[in-house]
Amino acid sequence: METLIVFLIVFVPFGWFMWTTLRFTRDTIGENSPVKVNRIYYITEWQYFVNFNNLLLYFMMGIGVILLRLSFTMYISYTESNPLLARFVVFFLAVEILVLSIYLITIDINHWKYIQGVVIETVPEEHALELTFTDVAYRVRPGDIVRAAIISNGNRSHIGYAIYYFSNGDYFIIPDGMPGSWVIREYFKDIPLKHIRQRFPFIR
């Protein structure tokens, strides 16, 4: 039974990762590229907050809570040379995990406001994109977007968002968590990009 549990813990996430990677590759290159076929991208609240990455995040947050409690209640043998240091190490690790988890969850909540109800549809026959927001819709063609700002934390996780500016002064914001956000730059590769590093990439 223990062997089965270990197998599931190790290989199920790996299998899920490989499956999603292969599916993403299949749907992004060649004849299945969104530049050549019509695709519609959107995400529900459940899919956004209950995905593999967030489940792992919630799990780590739970570990942080357990470690925080242990730092005050765990038994330390009287033979331990420095029991206060041992408690401090566990406490520091718990706080670090909790702060990181809360930070990432807060960003998720902040970005969701700019993802909720958004639909990105490719229109390959016109080489255009149909962008639908809760209060406005755009049919975007080559030359409509004059520049873009890419704001991210600059880490490997690359948490951030993009602001796209139209020639008439209007703009729209697309967080990285929006499915199909990459399609905009795939369709319009000549958009001048300005990369901005922001430690806390909250959208204000």
Side-chain angles (χ1 to χ4, degrees):
M1 185 63 180
E2 292 179 356
T3 303
L4 177 61
I5 293 174
V6 172
F7 176 84
L8 292 175
I9 292 175
V10 173
F11 289 100
V12 168
F14 177 74
W16 176 88
F17 173 77
M18 290 300 298
W19 178 75
T20 54
T21 301
L22 291 172
R23 187 180 64 173
F24 178 80
T25 303
R26 181 198 64 191
D27 293 340
T28 55
I29 62 175
E31 294 302 317
N32 286 324
S33 167
V35 178
K36 296 184 177 182
V37 298
N38 174 260
R39 294 201 180 279
I40 299 176
Y41 300 92
Y42 66 93
I43 191 169
T44 65
E45 187 172 5
W46 174 264
Q47 291 171 327
Y48 181 78
F49 287 105
V50 188
N51 56 46
F52 179 79
N53 290 334
N54 277 0
L55 289 176
L56 183 61
L57 179 60
Y58 304 147
F59 174 77
M60 291 303 298
M61 192 173 184
I63 294 296
V65 172
I66 293 172
L67 288 176
L68 184 63
R69 182 178 179 181
L70 282 176
S71 68
F72 294 103
T73 62
M74 68 179 180
Y75 171 75
I76 299 179
S77 173
Y78 67 91
T79 59
E80 175 66 41
S81 60
N82 199 332
L84 186 61
L85 178 61
R87 289 189 185 276
F88 176 77
V89 169
V90 176
F91 175 80
F92 178 79
L93 179 61
V95 170
E96 188 175 27
I97 292 173
L98 286 173
V99 168
L100 178 61
S101 300
I102 293 171
Y103 161 72
L104 294 174
I105 290 172
T106 303
I107 289 180
D108 268 353
I109 294 172
N110 172 256
H111 286 193
W112 171 246
K113 294 184 295 184
Y114 296 86
I115 293 176
Q116 187 176 19
V118 175
V119 178
I120 300 175
E121 181 177 358
T122 65
V123 188
E125 60 271 14
E126 298 181 23
H127 197 77
L129 294 176
E130 186 77 22
L131 305 178
T132 304
F133 299 86
T134 54
D135 56 347
V136 68
Y138 301 106
R139 175 62 67 96
V140 185
R141 296 179 175 83
D144 290 346
I145 299 176
V146 294
R147 61 188 176 91
I150 311 299
I151 297 94
S152 73
N153 59 354
N155 297 335
R156 290 182 180 179
S157 57
H158 190 78
I159 301 170
Y161 59 96
I163 308 176
Y164 295 92
Y165 297 89
F166 291 112
S167 56
N168 63 2
D170 288 345
Y171 66 90
F172 63 90
I173 298 173
I174 296 288
D176 290 346
M178 173 65 197
S181 59
W182 59 274
V183 171
I184 300 174
R185 294 195 290 276
E186 181 69 20
Y187 255 71
F188 313 118
K189 295 183 178 181
D190 58 344
I191 299 175
L193 303 178
K194 180 180 181 181
H195 292 271
I196 301 172
R197 184 172 181 176
Q198 186 174 307
R199 180 171 295 181
F200 304 105
F202 293 101
I203 305 174
R204 298 176 177 84

